[in-house]
Each structure stands twice: as C-alpha cells, then as structure tokens.
Amino acid sequence: MSFLSKLIQTLFPRLFHRLVALIFLITLPLALGLAWVNTTGFWDRVKPYVFRLDSSLSEHAASEVIHHLEQAQSQLTAMGIALLEGGEVSDEERLNLVGNVLSESKLLDFIAVYGPEMKRRLVAKALGSKDPVVLPENLPEFRFIENKAERLGTGNIVAGGDGPMLEIVLRVFDSTEKQTRAWLYSQINLSIFCKLTADLQEKLPFQPSSVFIIDKEGHLLAHPNAQLLGPQKHFSPGNLFEALGGVASIANYKGVAEFEEKGVEMMGAILPITELGWGVVITHPSEDAFRDLKSALVWTLYSIVACLVLALASGIFLAKRISKPLQSLTLATQLLAKRQFEQVEPALCARSDEFGQLAQSFERMFLELKAYECKLIQETQVRAALSRYLPADIVENLIQNPQALKLGGERRFVTVLFCDIIGFTYISEAFPPETIVSLLNELFSIATEIIHKRKGIIDKFIGDCIMAVWGVPESHPDDAEMALLAAEDLRRWLEVGNRRWRQKWGVEIQLAMGMHSGMAVAGNIGSEKRMDYTVIGDTVNIAARLEDSAQAGQILVSDTTRSLIREDTSPAFKCVGDKTLRGKSTTTLVYEVLE
C-alpha cells in the first residue's frame, strides 16, 4: 500500500493531476462495463422491464375498478338507508331526497328496491334523468364479490340509454344480520371503465397497444373504444392464454408472456381481479415495444464513446473546481500563520457547498482571531494605564469584573498612608516649573513602585502629597504591616534619591508621613463620566492629620495601626503620647517609627 501511494505521488505530484486521473480511471471501467452489459445482455434485461411495466399498469387498472365498485357500494348503502329507514317521511319525500343525491353521483343514475323475495317494489332515479332502459321485475342472477360478506354482487352487461351498463346489487340484512331485508339494484355505466383503459393505454410508452377488461366468460367489460362493448362482445385471447399456461377460468391466468396472433409476434399481460372474476389485459406488438429500445441501444453505444471523450474534460473541470478552493484556503492558512488576518475570497464564501461552508468558517475564525487580538491589545493598553495607579492584581480584578467600576461604595477596614514633601513651597519658588515637574515625576514613580510592591494602591496625588491605601479592593491580614514597610522603604530610598537630586538640581527632599487604620467607605465616587476609586471617612482624616503633625523624615502611626503590627516583625516604636489633632475633639495616641 505504501509503494502504491509513493507511485501515485511520483506520477501525479499535484492534487489537480490526481483528481483528473482518478475521475478518468473511474469513468473508463464503468464505460467499458456498460458497453459489455448492453451488448451481451441487453435483451434479457429489457424484456423484464417491459413485463413489469405491463404488470404495473394492470395492477393500477384493477385497483381503480375495485375502488369504483366500493364507491358504488357506499352510495347504495347510504341511499338504501334513506329509502328503507324513512320513519314518518312519505315515500315521495324519500324518493325526492334520494333523487337529489343521485343527481350528484357520477356512478349511479337510479336505485331499485327489491324485497327479500326478489320482487321489485320501488325505483328512485336522479332528478331529470331518463328511465332505465332495462329494469327487470324480478331480480336477475348475479355473482357475489369475494371479501364482501355476500353483500355486493355483479350481474350481466345490459344495454342502457348512455351505452352498455353493468348490473350491480347490494344485499341489505335485517338487525340480526342473518335474514335478507331487501335488495338494492342499480347499473354502472361502463364508460367509466372505458375511460380508465383509455388513460392507461396512453401511458404506455409504445404504440399501438390495447388495454381492456374482460369477465371470466370473456365478455368485454371495458375498452378504449366503448362501441366495442355489448352483451355478446367477446375477447379471443388467442395464444396468450396458452403462453401463460392457463385453463378455463381467467383467475388462473396471471403474468406476462410473448405470443403470436395472426402471425404477428405479440407481448401481453393479464392480471386477474380475483374478487370479481375479471381480468385486465394489455397487448402490443413486440416489434413496436422494442423499436425505441433498439434505437436506445445504438445511442447507448455512441454515448459510451462520448463519455470516454468527455471524461477527461469533465475531470479537468472538476479537478479545478476542487483544487482551486483548496489553494485559496491554503493561502488563507499561510497568511493566518503570519498573523495577517486577510479575508477569504468572497466568491469562495458565497458557495453553498462544503467548500463554501469551510470558507465561511475560516472567515469567522479570522474575524474572531482579529477581534480577539484587538481585545488583547486593548486589555494590554488598559492594564498598562491602570498599572500606573493600581497593583497588578487589582488591575486584573477590574478587567475581569468591569461592573466594579460602577458608582457606589462599601465599608472596609483599611490602612491609609499620607506622604508629604516638607518645604515644597520654598522649592517651588526656587526652581522653575519644569524642574519641579521632573522632580515630582521621579519621586512619584519610585513611590508608586514601592507602594505597589507592598500591595497598596495609590489613591491620589494631591499636589506634592501621596495618599496610599491598603485593604481595598481586597483586604489582607498584613495590610498594616505592608503599609509600614512601604513607609520605611520610602524613607530609606529617599537617601539615594537625594544624592541624585543634589548632583542634578542641587536640591534635597524630606518626607513627612502619617498612617492610621480603621473603617472607611471605599468605592467609586464622582459621576458617570468622571469618577475616582477612593476611600473616605474619619480614618482618612486622622492619617492626614498625623502626616500634618510629622516632622521631616518622621513616620507617625496611630495606636490602632501599631496594634496591628506583629511583634516578631515590629520595628522600634517611640511613644509620642496623646495628641489633639487638628479638627478632632478627642486625643489620639501616637507613635513614631524609629529608623
């Protein structure tokens, strides 16, 4: 198998060539096989087809005849009830009622009611119709139809005003279903069956053909030419019955066969209507039946040659139709690998076949990947912007939960740190604004990194002051410790920063810091168009007042914050004592964090 695959790949390196070869190789044996079948077994295969066609039409005719008779039985039953179960209605009214119904019937023109003794009692006919030509006083002989429980029977063919008529009779039982109450007699115009045979004869693909119906005595019951019908008209089956191996009863003839009639080769089929003892007969000359088929054989041979000629052309066409979309999809895949989100050819997407569906899927994938990449870029930009103000975990939480940016707040236990530059007013007056901005940017950048590293957030920059918060939007057990470490980091780093600033601008900066822990309201405050995530409350005020009371390089913390620091990590504290902070009526126990 591997050798065959390698051989095919060597002979046909491209998919286009393989498809052409595959279509041609498939078509060639099919064409040759078709030629062999048509030249060797044509007749044996065509004859059963003709036989099945004849048999199928015969079965259709038989079912239609049974259908008409069942319809006639239903109408006889319905109108018989009206005639026999009249109640208080007079005979004249019953006859008028039945006459109106008969006027609408396409099968029956009259109904004669006979008593159990088979004597005629009354006759109801369609309004405006002629009297029946033959209407016996005594009920004639008839034959019950099988599977009708001895209720419906057929009689002889009689002459009628509109042509030959078939007698039918319906037996009506009493309430015990054992004794005969009455007989309903009528006649069916055989022109209905003649029209049926004419329609079937037109459906035969070969002409001339004959379709007719006979009873078991050989009387013609239906023929495309209704003038051929009559009480004495017989059908002479000739050699057809002998070819089928039948005997006296037509019920024994069933099938199709070839026979001769007056020296002409014929084909015929007989299908018995078992319930009635009738038969549907189809005959036609064999030469006429096979004339078109012989011509078809010649054209089949020519078609086989044409198929071989067209196989290569169709193979090339189909191969292009298949390989071209694959080439387009391959190119789109290569562009996708280079992150070039180019659209698939519109003509390919417009196709309704599997290639079109695949192209549409590629198109959707391109758009989704492009949108996803744009989303990633946007999220990256948002993260970069937010990371200037918030730690990475808080930024991720806001991106994953945008609803957190709605207005509102909640009570949280927080630790607030204020850092302020001592003597900033003097520095602002002594140096140009550009220098002040550069100095603040360097200080705030380092302070932001330190605070974020210690899991805090920059609440805001207030001129030369920094407000940082721990415990929002997520609280941690060591929030106070992280805030204290951040304050110490800022104080230590300031020594490095001052050496740089002395060399660059000839200036030094000293920070005063205050820290307090307690309950505050944290959330988005502002308007729908402009809001700030911040904390407000007395805790913030106390931290700001502590920073205001601190000296250069001093870190003041409240007793509440100091109590939250674990002893094993606690730095050295110096109790400053109780202080009355500006704006507060009560005193606050304050500690200084020693270096």
Side-chain angles (χ1 to χ4, degrees):
M1 188 66 183
S2 59
F3 172 76
L4 181 60
S5 300
K6 292 180 180 179
L7 179 62
I8 294 175
Q9 292 177 1
T10 303
L11 296 177
F12 308 104
R14 295 183 57 190
L15 177 62
F16 173 79
H17 298 149
R18 295 180 199 172
L19 291 173
V20 173
L22 178 62
I23 294 174
F24 186 77
L25 291 176
I26 292 176
T27 307
L28 179 61
L30 289 177
L32 295 177
L34 182 61
W36 174 259
V37 169
N38 279 276
T39 53
T40 57
F42 178 78
W43 298 109
D44 293 336
R45 286 169 173 80
V46 168
K47 285 181 181 180
Y49 160 75
V50 179
F51 293 163
R52 286 193 298 272
L53 177 61
D54 289 347
S55 179
S56 175
L57 291 175
S58 300
E59 291 176 358
H60 176 72
S63 64
E64 286 293 320
V65 170
I66 294 296
H67 171 72
H68 286 307
L69 288 176
E70 289 178 346
Q71 200 173 18
Q73 179 183 356
S74 299
Q75 295 180 7
L76 282 174
T77 301
M79 290 182 283
I81 293 175
L83 291 173
L84 298 175
E85 305 291 340
E88 297 180 358
V89 181
S90 64
D91 291 344
E92 183 179 356
E93 290 176 334
R94 292 199 302 273
L95 292 176
N96 287 334
L97 175 62
V98 174
N100 285 326
V101 177
L102 288 171
S103 299
E104 302 296 329
S105 175
K106 296 181 180 180
L107 293 174
L108 307 177
D109 293 327
F110 71 93
I111 295 178
V113 180
Y114 289 75
E117 73 284 359
M118 297 187 178
K119 295 288 186 177
R120 190 178 68 197
R121 293 184 176 179
L122 58 89
V123 179
K125 65 176 182 176
L127 298 180
S129 65
K130 301 177 181 179
D131 292 333
V133 176
V134 178
L135 191 58
E137 290 293 331
N138 297 319
L139 198 66
E141 294 182 0
F142 57 87
R143 298 171 296 279
F144 282 116
I145 298 177
E146 294 184 12
N147 302 324
K148 296 297 179 182
E150 296 187 351
R151 292 181 182 271
L152 184 66
T154 61
N156 299 318
I157 299 176
V158 297
D162 297 328
M165 311 290 287
L166 175 66
E167 296 178 316
I168 63 170
V169 65
L170 180 67
R171 183 179 184 180
V172 181
F173 289 93
D174 59 10
S175 59
T176 64
E177 293 291 330
K178 294 181 179 180
Q179 299 296 325
T180 301
R181 180 181 178 185
W183 300 89
L184 303 177
Y185 172 85
S186 189
Q187 297 172 1
I188 297 178
N189 194 329
L190 289 177
S191 63
I192 298 175
F193 297 154
C194 292
K195 183 179 183 306
L196 172 64
T197 57
D199 293 340
L200 293 178
Q201 183 170 301
E202 291 180 358
K203 292 181 180 179
L204 287 171
F206 25 78
Q207 298 293 338
S209 300
S210 296
V211 180
F212 43 91
I213 300 174
I214 59 175
D215 62 11
K216 66 178 182 180
E217 285 82 18
H219 295 106
L220 275 174
L221 297 176
H223 193 279
N225 185 1
Q227 297 178 355
L228 298 179
L229 303 185
Q232 306 301 323
K233 300 295 183 179
H234 285 72
F235 161 69
S236 177
N239 296 328
L240 176 58
F241 286 177
E242 296 179 5
L244 291 171
V247 290
S249 175
I250 196 171
N252 296 94
Y253 300 101
K254 182 178 181 181
V256 290
E258 294 180 278
F259 65 99
E260 287 189 6
E261 184 174 344
K262 298 179 181 180
V264 179
E265 293 185 1
M266 304 285 291
M267 291 189 66
I270 299 178
L271 180 69
I273 307 177
T274 308
E275 299 93 330
L276 303 174
W278 299 355
V280 181
V281 182
I282 299 177
T283 63
H284 41 75
S286 298
E287 182 66 22
D288 294 318
F290 293 113
R291 182 185 296 114
D292 292 338
L293 296 176
K294 290 180 180 178
S295 177
L297 174 60
V298 176
W299 281 106
T300 299
L301 295 177
Y302 286 132
S303 299
I304 291 173
V305 176
C307 287
L308 294 175
V309 174
L310 294 177
L312 184 60
S314 61
I316 294 174
F317 174 76
L318 291 175
K320 285 184 177 180
R321 290 279 296 175
I322 295 175
S323 61
K324 186 176 180 180
L326 290 177
Q327 292 173 356
S328 299
L329 293 174
T330 301
L331 177 60
T333 306
Q334 293 172 349
L335 293 175
L336 178 62
K338 298 177 182 179
R339 295 179 62 252
Q340 298 179 13
F341 302 107
E342 300 292 338
Q343 292 185 340
V344 185
E345 294 182 6
L348 182 57
C349 292
R351 294 175 57 147
S352 58
D353 56 8
E354 287 78 2
F355 285 116
Q357 296 174 2
L358 183 59
Q360 294 168 13
S361 299
F362 263 94
E363 185 77 9
R364 288 192 296 269
M365 182 179 65
F366 291 160
L367 295 176
E368 290 176 1
L369 288 176
K370 187 175 182 179
Y372 184 70
E373 185 178 38
C374 292
K375 180 181 177 182
L376 287 179
I377 294 174
Q378 185 178 10
E379 288 186 0
T380 302
Q381 293 173 345
V382 172
R383 284 188 176 92
L386 291 178
S387 62
R388 299 175 182 176
Y389 308 98
L390 304 174
D393 56 342
I394 298 177
V395 171
E396 190 65 29
N397 180 55
L398 291 176
I399 292 177
Q400 298 298 328
N401 302 284
Q403 63 273 14
L405 294 174
K406 296 180 181 179
L407 290 174
E410 58 179 345
R411 291 179 60 82
R412 302 297 295 268
F413 188 86
V414 298
T415 298
V416 181
L417 170 65
F418 277 89
C419 302
D420 192 18
I421 300 177
I422 300 298
F424 184 72
T425 303
Y426 166 75
I427 298 174
S428 300
E429 294 176 351
F431 294 91
E434 293 80 6
T435 302
I436 301 302
V437 171
S438 299
L439 179 64
L440 289 178
N441 285 340
E442 287 191 22
L443 173 63
F444 290 164
S445 297
I446 297 300
T448 299
E449 291 295 330
I450 292 173
I451 292 170
H452 285 180
K453 180 181 177 182
R454 295 303 184 180
K455 302 180 182 180
I457 68 170
I458 300 296
D459 185 287
K460 62 177 67 69
F461 296 108
I462 311 170
D464 62 326
C465 179
I466 302 172
M467 175 182 172
V469 183
W470 281 259
V472 291
E474 300 292 337
S475 60
H476 303 87
D478 58 349
D479 284 336
E481 295 177 3
M482 291 293 104
L484 184 58
L485 291 175
E488 291 182 314
D489 290 343
L490 279 171
R491 187 165 58 180
R492 283 192 294 268
W493 177 86
L494 198 58
E495 297 177 1
V496 178
N498 279 328
R499 286 198 297 270
R500 166 180 168 79
W501 295 328
R502 281 195 301 268
Q503 295 175 359
K504 188 173 182 180
W505 293 304
V507 64
E508 290 187 1
I509 288 178
Q510 296 296 326
L511 293 178
M513 291 177 274
M515 188 185 310
H516 179 58
S517 301
M519 298 300 296
V521 176
N524 294 310
I525 298 174
S527 66
E528 290 290 344
K529 294 184 178 180
R530 179 69 172 89
M531 66 180 69
D532 286 324
Y533 186 84
T534 185
V535 293
I536 59 175
D538 192 53
T539 299
V540 179
N541 296 333
I542 293 175
R545 300 295 180 265
L546 288 174
E547 176 269 320
D548 190 51
S549 301
Q551 301 298 319
Q554 194 175 35
I555 303 175
L556 298 182
V557 300
S558 65
D559 181 60
T560 304
T561 301
R562 189 197 63 80
S563 64
L564 296 174
I565 307 299
R566 293 177 299 174
E567 293 184 0
D568 57 337
T569 61
S570 175
F573 289 101
K574 174 184 177 182
C575 182
V576 178
D578 291 325
K579 281 193 174 187
T580 301
L581 303 178
R582 181 166 54 87
K584 300 292 291 182
S585 60
T586 59
T587 61
T588 301
L589 182 58
V590 180
Y591 289 86
E592 178 186 357
V593 180
L594 301 178
E595 297 185 11

